[in-house]
Amino acid sequence: MKEESKGKVYLVGGGPGDPELITVKAQRLLKQADCVVYDALADAALLNLCRSGCETIYVGKRSGNHAMPQEQINALLVDCALRHTCTVRLKGGDPFVFGRGSEEGMALAQAGVPFEVVPGISSAIAAPAAAGIPVTHRGISSQFTVFTGHEMPGKAESSLDIQAIANVRGTRIVLMGMSRLRESLQQLIAAGLSPSTPAAVVQWATTSRQRSVQAPVCELADAVEKAGLSSPAVVVIGEVVNLAAELAPAIQPRPLAGKRVVVTRTREQASSLSTALQEQGAEVLELPTIRIVPPTDRNDFAAAVVDSPHYDWLIFSSPNGVIKFFEAFYAVYEDIRELGGARIAAVGPGTAAELKKRGLMVDIMPQKAVAEELIAEFDRKADEFGGVANVTMLWVHSEKGRDVVYKELMKRQAIVDECVAYNTVPETEDPTGARGRLMAEGADLITFTSSSTVHHFMAMGISLPSECRIASIGPVTSATLREYGLVPHIESQKHNISDFVNSILDGFADEH
Ligand code: SAH
């Protein structure tokens, strides 16, 4: 008897490479998934969307190891459906374009498992487009033919009609064609394709590693060899390739194109830094180094939150402090007005932004997110607020933070209570495989957005790849790096993401 499946499997297209090129539906499903089964071409950064606790299973090839056989993947998907409510089978491009998604769908159907296909943008169209080549163009190409290069030469069981492909009108697009490129093109020419037909190869399309070459069909294999292009790449053959001369220059090379940048982050943190770097063309490797967990003493935290309406000042030392404080606050109180009329201080713009999201403006905030600056700001504004002596303050912070704020305010006779809202611990999992990739493939730059990311990165015991530069969000983080004998090549003047990204661009500007 068949076991009743617990949930549903979604065969999801992950798009051609750029993690922003997935569908809204795919994004929602990844956020909601209990389990994600993925392979090599799906950008691992997409897995950062998954909630913590989501099971991730890699079934692709990994340095020398063979991919899991298809039958085994089919069986695995059925098994996942027995155990989980929502399983996402994430595949590169579109799941039904050479992705064997249909075989997986059939296996699920046979096992009585409900499934749904979520189409994705196929590299067949996206790769040419990313190189400025439209697959159709009025008056030049009214049709396109997509075929696999895997089956081409001499294969007895090949289902490809070479004759027909060589003589078809319009644009021809070859996927999985790199390992037999030379023979395939020769075969097409022998079957009647004009050797002077314009052609192009686009590798790693839509990613920061994208590279392409153009040449007539008869010279393409040599050009590809010379440029050192290999799989994954799409071959485009047809007159439309000539349009790239007009369309490609409009596709501006971005300043960080070809650079791999490591973002050391907490998994919960919004990945605004990653997005900003991707917009500049970088390939981002998100390396979760720390995880936010509840403070050791949850009772103390709860009590502090319950008492929070009774203070003259609330002082927030980090964005995470704001997030965790208000999570707890709304677990106790229903109405923001319960907070009363306390004045609010934030250690810097990021923390103030998190408060603003909750409709709270700050009374004190230094431009540089450093404890000393916060104290200096209190001193500067002492007259405005009547000083801090005998004023009650609740200081919301992380278990591992420095105690400068506490000590300095106590020195000024303030009555300061602590509200330890969270703790940071090392991320021990490698959920996206980013750690493995950093060690295997290296990187051009590694970014640190706080001292604790430095400590936790060092605790992971990964040695920095040679040639890898270091960027620090500010002086305190830099000082921590120096404690480990690391010298930041780039340091942001202001402690916020956009200034940090600008400093990184300046840091690489000398290369252009
Ligand atoms: N389902 C996928 C194709 C899977 S077959 C899709 O719809 O895109 C794998 C082939 O896809 C590769 O050999 C290569 O030809 C192509 N491919 C996938 N991603 C690519 C990328 N970013 N750049 C160039 N080619 C890519």
Side-chain angles (χ1 to χ4, degrees), residues 195-246:
S196 62
T197 314
V201 167
V202 191
Q203 183 187 18
W204 285 119
T206 78
T207 75
S208 83
R209 290 192 266 174
Q210 175 174 323
R211 290 175 64 210
S212 58
V213 296
Q214 273 183 39
V217 170
C218 58
E219 293 167 19
L220 189 65
D222 286 341
V224 161
E225 225 172 83
K226 198 165 153 219
L229 300 193
S230 58
S231 194
V234 166
V235 186
V236 203
I237 302 168
E239 297 301 323
V240 286
V241 170
N242 286 338
L243 296 174
E246 275 179 70

Side-chain angles (χ1 to χ4, degrees), residues 16 41 92-94 97-99 122-123 127 175-176 202-205 231-234:
L41 279 180
D94 181 89
V97 176
F98 300 127
S122 176
S123 63
L175 265 58
M176 298 185 283
V202 191
Q203 183 187 18
W204 285 119
S231 194
V234 166

